[in-house]
Amino acid sequence: KVPSVEELLRRHSELRGLDDGAAVSADEKKRAENAAALRKEIGRYEKEGAEGSSGEFRNYLSLKKSRGIKAESAMLPVLIFDEAGKPACAGMVDLSGTVNGVPALIGISLAERMSQGRAALQLNLCRLGLMQSYGKACDKLFVMRLLHGSAELSEVPVLEEAAYALLRECLPSFRAESPVKPQDSGSGADPAASGTPPHGAGGWQEAPEQAPEEKAAPAPEPAAARSGT
């Protein structure tokens, strides 16, 4: 079993002596449960065409139409590989597809407030997993916040170097001089067989609202692309 994206984010915060909200409140736990249920609702719709009944789901359909979102995959397990081609981290992509024709990844959240620094790192790690596991292009990242009475889509910056810096900091199998580049589609291990269950693997994690913003130090420009595993 490999660590999840969420576990790496916690480790990243612990190394800096930051409180990443290990002791969450009852409200936060409830919100996380509701978010997981909403993701399943959206996943069933995108995979099977089964419409959900919640207000948040209706807001999802409305936002999807108004912002030009076309979902190609939902609740997609991904793996990030180390320089030797071995699975090093597992995650879950809530939605991948296009936004106004641009290849994009979208994280779904029910949080009214969130740490933008953590959001950027989480989505950028999932982006690496999406590219490495499936060879999919991903030019933009978004957070889709679906509240009972409103919905919004916010863009998050692509910070590939910062994602690699976090991986090198938290995983001994990564070395600074040889970061992993996206592999050809179909050449990696099966993300679904990584041993990390979907809930632990990620999806959008409902982090505590008070989590501090932080920026990872930029990493050197990635070297030559890895040819596969």
Side-chain angles (χ1 to χ4, degrees):
K1 178 180 177 179
V2 297
S4 69
V5 166
E6 174 67 7
E7 289 168 338
L8 284 193
L9 290 172
R10 284 199 298 267
R11 191 178 306 172
H12 178 68
S13 293
E14 290 167 359
L15 289 172
R16 285 160 174 71
L18 300 173
D19 179 11
D20 198 35
V24 297
S25 69
D27 287 344
E28 289 163 349
K29 289 181 179 179
K30 182 63 176 178
R31 186 179 65 206
E33 292 172 358
N34 290 341
L38 177 61
R39 290 190 192 97
K40 289 181 180 179
E41 198 172 22
I42 292 172
R44 285 193 297 268
Y45 173 75
E46 295 298 348
K47 294 175 181 179
E48 305 168 8
E51 292 205 13
S53 58
S54 69
E56 290 82 359
F57 176 79
R58 295 299 172 188
N59 286 340
Y60 165 73
L61 293 181
S62 177
L63 189 62
K64 184 180 176 183
K65 182 177 181 181
S66 66
R67 294 299 300 270
I69 298 169
K70 292 185 178 180
E72 297 175 357
S73 302
M75 310 307 127
L76 187 67
V78 297
L79 290 172
I80 298 173
F81 298 86
D82 65 19
E83 62 177 12
K86 296 180 179 179
C89 179
M92 183 72 71
V93 171
D94 291 344
L95 290 173
S96 69
T98 60
V99 177
N100 292 323
V102 179
L105 181 156
I106 300 173
I108 298 169
S109 175
L110 294 182
E112 295 183 0
R113 294 177 296 169
M114 66 179 65
S115 163
Q116 294 299 320
R118 180 189 173 97
L121 285 174
Q122 182 170 344
L123 285 182
N124 274 276
L125 287 170
C126 288
R127 174 180 177 268
L128 290 182
L130 180 68
M131 294 190 300
Q132 291 182 359
S133 297
Y134 302 99
K136 287 179 175 286
C138 183
D139 297 334
K140 290 194 174 185
L141 302 172
F142 295 89
V143 176
M144 179 185 285
R145 295 168 68 187
L146 299 172
L147 307 179
H148 187 68
S150 64
E152 65 180 34
L153 189 70
S154 303
E155 187 169 355
V156 173
V158 172
L159 302 171
E160 186 167 321
E161 293 180 350
Y164 280 123
L166 185 151
L167 290 167
R168 289 193 291 268
E169 178 182 46
C170 298
L171 295 173
S173 58
F174 281 83
R175 292 203 299 267
E177 66 270 18
S178 183
V180 182
K181 291 293 289 182
Q183 64 182 49
D184 294 333
S185 178
S187 60
D190 180 5
S194 66
T196 303
H199 178 72
W204 184 263
Q205 297 296 326
E206 299 296 326
E209 295 174 0
Q210 71 273 20
E213 291 193 21
E214 52 185 304
K215 294 183 180 179
E221 184 67 23
R226 176 164 61 85
S227 61
T229 60

